[in-house]
Amino acid sequence: MALPSLHTCRTATVGLFSRLQTPVPTVRAFSTSQSLHHVAAPVWNLGRLNHVAIAVPDLEKAKAFYKNVLGAQVSEAVPLPEHGVSVIFVSLGNTKIELLHPLGKDSPIAGFLQKNKAGGMHHVCIEVDNIYAAVLDLKEKKIRSLSEEAQIGAHGKPVIFLHPKDCGGVLVELEQA
């Protein structure tokens, strides 16, 4: 079987590209008598992933794993009684892991660990450039939060937690950048 000549291939290719470059008529989905709706630019924006929080049943054991086995830089335990947790921060360079352990029986982490005895991922935290605008906007969009307004979080910045049922099953924390 003979192969097509170079000239035949070029002609076929040019023909193909000329068909691809033929303008396609624009179809309008609305009449000109309808008003155009302009979408406003967002008043807040998502930033970087700040941390992934992991609930742990044994804070010192978890700290030793990240420090001694993986070689990460880890902080000392920081008790945060207003949040009902003790926290250790694991620095990863571009983000952090937040190890959470219950501080008292009323801790939300205690309830999580009752359901997940070995611990596990608790939430993800994403920075936003305007937490207060984000809270208002998300309320308008019917996204539930676990509190009415932003509160000061573990990093000393305003945070709000979004309900996992509205976030694909993931507890999402938004933090002011």
Side-chain angles (χ1 to χ4, degrees), residues 63-154:
K63 177 183 176 178
F65 171 76
Y66 284 96
K67 183 178 182 178
N68 301 333
V69 175
L70 297 182
Q73 291 181 326
V74 298
S75 73
E76 293 301 317
V78 178
L80 300 169
E82 65 275 15
H83 297 286
V85 296
S86 288
V87 180
I88 289 179
F89 300 102
V90 180
S91 180
L92 300 176
N94 62 345
T95 192
K96 295 180 283 297
I97 293 175
E98 188 177 85
L99 302 174
L100 302 173
H101 185 73
L103 189 62
K105 293 183 182 187
D106 294 331
S107 168
I109 300 303
F112 182 89
L113 288 172
Q114 284 177 344
K115 297 176 193 166
N116 306 278
K117 301 287 185 207
M121 192 187 88
H122 185 261
H123 68 268
V124 296
C125 177
I126 304 168
E127 293 178 357
V128 294
D129 63 354
N130 186 335
I131 188 87
Y132 302 107
V135 169
L136 291 173
D137 183 48
L138 292 168
K139 280 183 183 178
E140 283 182 17
K141 293 176 179 173
K142 308 292 187 222
I143 303 298
R144 292 173 286 176
S145 61
L146 301 187
S147 62
E148 279 300 309
E149 55 190 41
Q151 301 170 344
I152 300 302

Side-chain angles (χ1 to χ4, degrees), residues 25-73:
T26 304
V27 178
R28 300 204 186 271
F30 57 88
S31 72
T32 54
S33 63
Q34 292 177 331
S35 65
L36 297 176
H37 297 282
H38 295 283
V39 177
V43 293
W44 65 279
N45 295 291
L46 284 177
R48 70 180 192 92
L49 175 68
N50 183 282
H51 65 266
V52 174
I54 301 172
V56 298
D58 185 330
L59 196 55
E60 288 305 314
K61 184 177 177 182
K63 177 183 176 178
F65 171 76
Y66 284 96
K67 183 178 182 178
N68 301 333
V69 175
L70 297 182
Q73 291 181 326

